[in-house]
Amino acid sequence: MSLSFHQENQKESLYIQVYQHYRDLIMEHRLPEGSRMPSLRKCAQELKLSRTTIENAYLQLAADGYIIAKAQSGYYVTGIASQEPAPDKNTARKHPDVRYDFASSGVDRESFRFDLWQRYIKSALRQNERLLSYGEPQGEEDLRQVLCEYVRQHRNISCSPDDIVISAGVQSLLHILCPLVADRKTVSFPTPSFVQGSTVFSDYGFQIHYRDKDCDIIYVSPAHMTKWGEIMPVSRRMELVHYAGTHGSLIIEDDFENEFVYLQKPTPSLYSLSGGHEVIYIGSFSRLLLPSIRLSFMVLPPSLAESYRQRASFYNQTASKAEQIALCQFIRDGHLAAQTRRLKRLYSQKTKALLQEVRKIFGTDSQIQIGAAGTSLALTLPCSFAGKDLKQKALSRGLRISILREEPGYITLLLSCSSMSEEDFAPACILLHEIVS
Amino acid sequence: MSLSFHQENQKESLYIQVYQHYRDLIMEHRLPEGSRMPSLRKCAQELKLSRTTIENAYLQLAADGYIIAKAQSGYYVTGIASQEPAPDKNTARKHPDVRYDFASSGVDRESFRFDLWQRYIKSALRQNERLLSYGEPQGEEDLRQVLCEYVRQHRNISCSPDDIVISAGVQSLLHILCPLVADRKTVSFPTPSFVQGSTVFSDYGFQIHYRDKDCDIIYVSPAHMTKWGEIMPVSRRMELVHYAGTHGSLIIEDDFENEFVYLQKPTPSLYSLSGGHEVIYIGSFSRLLLPSIRLSFMVLPPSLAESYRQRASFYNQTASKAEQIALCQFIRDGHLAAQTRRLKRLYSQKTKALLQEVRKIFGTDSQIQIGAAGTSLALTLPCSFAGKDLKQKALSRGLRISILREEPGYITLLLSCSSMSEEDFAPACILLHEIVS
């Protein structure tokens, strides 16, 4: 094996290098589906690395679906490389014959009051004078005031509107944040699946680690730990804040889908637990309003807010001014709170209904994983098809599915109820059952 | 002097280091207004650098208004550090008592048909189904098709919609572009004044040079070479493309305000002159529609378009989907072309009228610089006030002005007519004349 791993880097980074090496081999089909991975011992010998390093890399590969363990036999390459790339967010539009879509990241068409939003946009567009000038780099002042009050009420975050930066989505926030924290070198993400986040950090030269609390920066989504909605328990939140505090790490708290935590309370924000020190809080509206509205914000801790202010004028605002004005008034009039209550009720009821339907139709043969939040569940089924074929077969019958993992004889699907209507759950599950059998 | 300049860098970068060093001293008031700069010889000796390097730095400092030359005496620090920071884009709103605004970057309130745009946004907001999903990372496909046709017609650029990337403003485009060209190290800007551009490149670790055609990347705005609308002549366009081609440099052509080139034709795009090789074309709509609408696009040459496609899914779209849908139909229905014609006529007439008024009122004592494009002219006047005081005095009488340069006994103002109405030119110029006298 002609590999050179940078030994000077620390242990965590070595295992990620091994992980990435094998991930690339698998994705490029150079390690074909079904082939056996070298044993831990052999691999460690060849790469001149410790067995633990290799084992960590293999565990991560398995966690991300690239390989699977067979008892007393070793690790085998899954069919992941033959699957379609990232779930296409527009497929529903491109395949007009899709009847049931378990794979969409869109929102429920019943959930959003278009007429209401139209009214607010229309009213924002009437503010001619204000629209004739560029937006404030930091975001419109009135919206920052409203957001300041919003996070105080809902997340117990006490800050000033001057600490808030508005942008068109989380990536745009990170483009402002990364240069501010350029003195740090390493950043840890919970999983390799949040590519949009890790790409930005890696573009700026940060080293990306996974689940490594000894990094300079720790990126977490406490209300979205897994795709099936597991949330971070309060005890772990406190632990994390304490650990980061004593080690001088910076936490980035991406509060994605916190509004959809149904079953558990309270879920204090890391920002509030830390007392506002060394935690950056990120909030978004794509799940509450429309995915197509690009509006996110971050709350900077005092030290970073100060450095930001010195650079604020170097960055243009990316979010639409009209949408900022509309959102500001929309929140003031209480519609965001009402919309959150409505969605929470809707998605809680829908995930429960989907769970019941799945239990009824797939019975005891299946295994279901479901968290305390979100709009999805993970379903593991006996299945003799390769994931790729199953996906194709389902699509040809008007059903879109997303595959989370493949093991020999078993397949794990991620079923999202977010863009489907409730009466479709039963026929969609029956159809899926037919296809898998 | 306790300075260490990185001698290993090349000549250009040395002079910029000297430039930045003195700029900082001046802006921090450590070299106070009116103080004499060390002589070239003395400074070269102390810094152990060549006289040419120092001279280049001083020339750049003078060009940017930090110091001024007095014949047979040397260079003196101007009052620039005591001026207000960057011209505040929202000042008109913050000073409601401003009657005449020569300093605004906003657009003419008569220029934009709000009712029409409202209709297109409203119609876009009716496309419920489409707004329920995330936008395409590269930008909406129908808008890319329309833009492809638009640049073919107007800039003789032949490309495919797949080569076009849409984003919320030029900075967001650069955030996608910089990682794609990370194998390059140096980038040249025409002046230090486009901070938003140089900040992004510098955040990604590029070395920033000025007016240096030997850089790996050359950023130019051919239709906006100076703030008073000078444009790049065709001969220099051809020269630049040829030079870049033979030296393997990449050109970024920011076509800002190309629509407002009144007096000269043709102004072929660098992209078309290069035959689509190694030129990235950037277009924006903030001057044609509203500054508050964040929509820009770039045309990538084939090699970069290919690398982009491999990374496209790593970046989320930043521009509002509703505004993309609205713009697409707005262009299809011919309104952008009509709006461009209307604005070109309007601004051409307004700059001409302003020029006449300024000539009439300030007479032969003044010197006027005006280019072939844009909405501004530079006016040099005899003046005994410091720039800061003049600005304050003007503001107290309801007149906002922007100062470009100060020399002893003279001041140069940048007068923008873009957001003022024509009947205000005469009273505004008379008021300015009173204040300066």
Side-chain angles (χ1 to χ4, degrees):
Chain A
M1 211 179 283
S2 65
L3 270 179
S4 80
F5 290 102
H6 300 288
Q7 298 273 1
E8 72 268 27
N9 293 349
Q10 56 201 100
K11 217 164 118 192
E12 288 79 1
S13 130
L14 273 175
Y15 101 78
I16 287 295
Q17 286 179 59
V18 176
Y19 163 86
Q20 284 164 342
H21 169 71
Y22 279 112
R23 187 195 57 190
D24 292 349
L25 289 181
I26 292 167
M27 290 314 282
E28 290 157 9
H29 297 272
R30 285 152 67 195
L31 272 177
E33 181 174 354
S35 60
R36 192 172 176 278
M37 296 286 285
S39 74
L40 294 180
R41 191 188 46 77
K42 204 175 147 199
C43 184
Q45 259 177 4
E46 279 186 356
L47 299 181
K48 298 193 178 50
L49 294 171
S50 81
R51 216 183 122 115
T52 317
T53 303
I54 307 298
E55 188 158 31
N56 283 337
Y58 277 24
L59 286 173
Q60 187 68 57
L61 285 164
D64 294 325
Y66 295 102
I67 59 175
I68 50 147
K70 281 191 196 175
Q72 272 142 25
S73 163
Y75 286 91
Y76 290 80
V77 175
T78 66
I80 196 167
S82 323
Q83 286 176 33
E84 283 158 56
D88 189 320
K89 287 158 179 168
N90 286 293
T91 316
R93 204 162 56 78
K94 285 177 190 158
H95 298 282
D97 46 349
V98 168
R99 272 185 298 163
Y100 309 121
D101 193 348
F102 274 134
S104 168
S105 59
V107 291
D108 194 304
R109 70 199 65 189
E110 304 305 323
S111 71
F112 191 67
R113 290 192 54 196
F114 278 93
D115 57 326
L116 195 64
W117 182 248
Q118 271 163 16
R119 235 163 46 221
Y120 279 89
I121 286 283
K122 230 176 116 179
S123 144
L125 285 175
R126 274 196 296 267
Q127 304 205 19
N128 297 13
E129 205 57 42
R130 199 167 159 189
L131 294 173
L132 284 167
S133 64
Y134 285 93
E136 291 180 47
Q138 192 166 357
E140 295 303 291
E141 199 178 334
D142 48 1
L143 177 56
R144 284 188 281 117
Q145 268 161 6
V146 163
L147 290 175
C148 181
E149 181 54 26
Y150 177 82
V151 293
R152 196 191 59 72
Q153 276 182 21
H154 292 88
R155 306 306 282 133
N156 196 24
I157 287 174
S158 107
C159 66
S160 128
D162 290 346
D163 304 328
I164 294 182
V165 182
I166 295 166
S167 249
V170 173
Q171 277 190 323
S172 297
L173 293 173
L174 297 182
H175 281 135
I176 293 170
L177 184 58
C178 281
L180 289 182
V181 296
D183 52 326
R184 299 175 184 254
K185 302 272 168 283
T186 53
V187 54
S188 163
F189 281 85
T191 80
S193 67
F194 183 38
V195 196
Q196 280 83 3
S198 56
T199 296
V200 173
F201 278 93
S202 138
D203 285 348
Y204 283 103
F206 287 86
Q207 270 179 49
I208 313 296
H209 295 201
Y210 298 101
R211 286 191 217 100
D212 175 2
K213 61 182 177 167
D214 289 328
C215 281
D216 302 332
I217 301 172
I218 301 169
Y219 194 108
V220 278
S221 305
H224 190 80
M225 301 289 289
T226 58
K227 292 194 170 172
W228 55 91
E230 283 180 290
I231 67 170
M232 190 187 279
V234 178
S235 58
R236 240 184 89 204
R237 290 182 194 229
M238 294 176 72
E239 219 174 86
L240 177 61
V241 165
H242 178 74
Y243 192 89
T246 50
H247 289 74
S249 318
L250 196 63
I251 295 177
I252 300 178
E253 173 178 27
D254 182 344
D255 214 14
F256 184 69
E257 287 198 342
N258 171 65
E259 301 82 5
F260 302 156
V261 175
Y262 315 121
L263 310 171
Q264 202 158 337
K265 276 186 167 195
T267 56
S269 66
L270 301 176
Y271 189 102
S272 69
L273 288 176
S274 79
H277 296 297
E278 304 297 291
V279 174
I280 294 143
Y281 177 89
I282 293 184
S284 295
F285 296 103
S286 53
R287 294 296 274 174
L288 285 179
L289 304 170
L290 288 173
S292 51
I293 296 176
R294 307 302 296 149
L295 269 173
S296 299
F297 67 98
M298 62 181 168
V299 182
L300 294 172
S303 58
L304 284 176
E306 185 49 42
S307 344
Y308 167 73
R309 271 188 285 278
Q310 287 166 20
R311 299 170 53 89
S313 67
F314 301 169
Y315 299 97
N316 287 322
Q317 178 55 243
T318 46
S320 152
K321 200 177 191 174
E323 289 178 1
Q324 289 185 68
I325 296 173
L327 179 60
C328 178
Q329 201 53 44
F330 188 85
I331 299 178
R332 274 189 188 146
D333 293 348
H335 294 304
L336 186 68
Q339 168 75 353
T340 305
R341 281 194 301 272
R342 189 183 316 123
L343 279 186
K344 194 169 164 163
R345 204 161 49 227
L346 176 74
Y347 287 138
S348 159
Q349 183 192 319
K350 281 175 78 177
T351 44
K352 213 183 286 175
L354 179 61
L355 178 64
Q356 274 175 358
E357 209 55 55
V358 168
R359 273 213 188 107
K360 196 169 95 192
I361 287 163
F362 294 92
T364 45
D365 259 2
S366 65
Q367 192 205 319
I368 299 168
Q369 285 170 287
I370 188 161
T375 59
S376 301
L377 59 82
L379 171 65
T380 307
L381 292 171
C383 174
S384 51
F385 299 105
K388 188 191 154 193
D389 299 338
L390 185 68
K391 239 175 137 163
Q392 203 44 55
K393 199 176 159 199
L395 201 58
S396 72
R397 308 228 3 221
L399 180 69
R400 253 188 96 224
I401 54 172
S402 161
I403 289 160
L404 208 58
R405 273 196 315 275
E406 289 184 61
E407 291 137 296
Y410 285 93
I411 197 150
T412 302
L413 310 176
L414 185 74
L415 305 184
S416 158
C417 70
S418 77
S419 78
M420 259 167 96
S421 70
E422 211 175 313
E423 65 256 36
D424 284 346
F425 292 165
C429 285
I430 292 169
L431 181 58
L432 177 62
H433 190 259
E434 268 179 47
I435 292 165
V436 176
S437 305
Chain B
M1 211 180 283
S2 66
L3 269 179
S4 80
F5 290 101
H6 300 289
Q7 298 272 1
E8 71 267 28
N9 292 349
Q10 56 201 102
K11 219 164 116 192
E12 288 78 2
S13 130
L14 272 176
Y15 102 77
I16 288 295
Q17 285 179 60
V18 177
Y19 164 86
Q20 283 164 343
H21 169 70
Y22 279 111
R23 189 196 54 192
D24 292 349
L25 289 181
I26 292 167
M27 291 313 283
E28 291 158 8
H29 298 272
R30 285 152 67 195
L31 273 177
E33 181 175 352
S35 59
R36 193 172 175 279
M37 296 286 287
S39 74
L40 294 179
R41 192 188 45 79
K42 202 175 146 199
C43 184
Q45 259 178 4
E46 278 186 357
L47 298 180
K48 300 195 177 51
L49 294 173
S50 81
R51 217 183 121 114
T52 317
T53 303
I54 308 298
E55 188 158 30
N56 284 336
Y58 277 23
L59 286 173
Q60 187 68 58
L61 285 164
D64 294 325
Y66 294 103
I67 59 176
I68 51 146
K70 281 191 197 175
Q72 272 141 26
S73 163
Y75 286 92
Y76 290 80
V77 175
T78 67
I80 196 168
S82 323
Q83 286 176 32
E84 282 157 58
D88 190 321
K89 287 158 178 166
N90 285 292
T91 315
R93 205 162 55 76
K94 285 176 191 160
H95 299 281
D97 46 350
V98 168
R99 272 186 298 163
Y100 309 120
D101 194 347
F102 274 134
S104 167
S105 58
V107 291
D108 195 304
R109 68 200 66 187
E110 304 305 323
S111 71
F112 191 67
R113 291 192 52 195
F114 279 94
D115 57 325
L116 195 65
W117 183 247
Q118 272 164 14
R119 239 168 38 227
Y120 280 88
I121 286 284
K122 231 176 115 179
S123 144
L125 286 174
R126 275 197 295 269
Q127 302 206 21
N128 296 12
E129 204 57 42
R130 200 166 158 190
L131 294 173
L132 284 168
S133 64
Y134 284 93
E136 289 180 50
Q138 192 165 356
E140 295 303 290
E141 199 178 335
D142 48 2
L143 178 57
R144 283 189 282 117
Q145 268 160 8
V146 163
L147 290 175
C148 182
E149 181 55 25
Y150 177 82
V151 293
R152 195 191 60 71
Q153 276 181 20
H154 292 88
R155 305 307 282 133
N156 194 24
I157 288 174
S158 108
C159 67
S160 126
D162 290 346
D163 304 329
I164 294 182
V165 183
I166 295 166
S167 247
V170 173
Q171 277 192 323
S172 298
L173 293 173
L174 297 182
H175 281 135
I176 294 170
L177 185 58
C178 281
L180 289 182
V181 296
D183 52 327
R184 298 174 185 253
K185 303 273 168 281
T186 54
V187 56
S188 164
F189 282 85
T191 80
S193 67
F194 183 39
V195 195
Q196 280 82 5
S198 56
T199 296
V200 173
F201 278 93
S202 138
D203 285 349
Y204 283 103
F206 287 85
Q207 269 179 50
I208 314 296
H209 295 201
Y210 298 102
R211 286 191 216 99
D212 176 1
K213 60 182 180 168
D214 289 328
C215 280
D216 303 333
I217 301 173
I218 300 169
Y219 194 108
V220 278
S221 306
H224 190 80
M225 300 289 288
T226 58
K227 292 194 170 173
W228 55 91
E230 283 180 290
I231 67 170
M232 191 186 278
V234 178
S235 58
R236 238 183 93 204
R237 289 182 196 229
M238 294 176 72
E239 219 174 86
L240 177 61
V241 165
H242 177 74
Y243 191 89
T246 50
H247 290 74
S249 318
L250 195 64
I251 295 177
I252 302 178
E253 173 179 26
D254 182 343
D255 213 15
F256 184 69
E257 288 198 342
N258 171 66
E259 302 81 5
F260 302 156
V261 175
Y262 315 121
L263 310 170
Q264 202 158 337
K265 276 185 166 194
T267 56
S269 66
L270 302 176
Y271 189 102
S272 69
L273 289 176
S274 80
H277 297 298
E278 304 297 294
V279 174
I280 294 143
Y281 178 88
I282 294 185
S284 294
F285 296 103
S286 52
R287 294 296 274 173
L288 285 179
L289 304 170
L290 288 173
S292 51
I293 295 175
R294 307 303 296 150
L295 269 173
S296 300
F297 67 97
M298 61 181 169
V299 182
L300 294 172
S303 58
L304 284 177
E306 184 50 41
S307 342
Y308 168 73
R309 272 190 284 279
Q310 287 166 20
R311 300 169 52 88
S313 67
F314 300 168
Y315 299 97
N316 288 322
Q317 179 54 244
T318 46
S320 150
K321 199 178 193 174
E323 289 177 0
Q324 290 184 68
I325 297 173
L327 179 61
C328 178
Q329 200 54 44
F330 188 85
I331 299 178
R332 273 188 189 147
D333 293 348
H335 294 304
L336 187 67
Q339 167 75 354
T340 305
R341 281 194 302 272
R342 188 183 316 123
L343 279 187
K344 195 169 163 164
R345 205 162 47 226
L346 176 74
Y347 286 139
S348 158
Q349 184 192 319
K350 281 175 78 176
T351 44
K352 213 182 288 172
L354 179 62
L355 179 63
Q356 275 175 356
E357 209 55 56
V358 168
R359 273 211 188 109
K360 196 171 95 191
I361 287 163
F362 293 92
T364 46
D365 258 4
S366 66
Q367 192 204 322
I368 300 168
Q369 285 171 287
I370 187 161
T375 59
S376 300
L377 59 83
L379 171 65
T380 306
L381 290 172
C383 174
S384 52
F385 300 105
K388 187 193 155 194
D389 299 337
L390 185 68
K391 238 176 138 164
Q392 203 44 55
K393 199 176 157 196
L395 201 58
S396 73
R397 306 221 13 212
L399 180 69
R400 252 187 98 223
I401 55 173
S402 162
I403 288 160
L404 208 58
R405 272 195 317 275
E406 288 185 62
E407 289 137 298
Y410 285 92
I411 197 150
T412 302
L413 309 176
L414 186 75
L415 305 185
S416 158
C417 69
S418 77
S419 78
M420 257 167 96
S421 71
E422 212 175 313
E423 66 256 36
D424 284 346
F425 292 166
C429 285
I430 292 169
L431 181 59
L432 178 62
H433 190 259
E434 268 179 46
I435 292 166
V436 177
S437 305

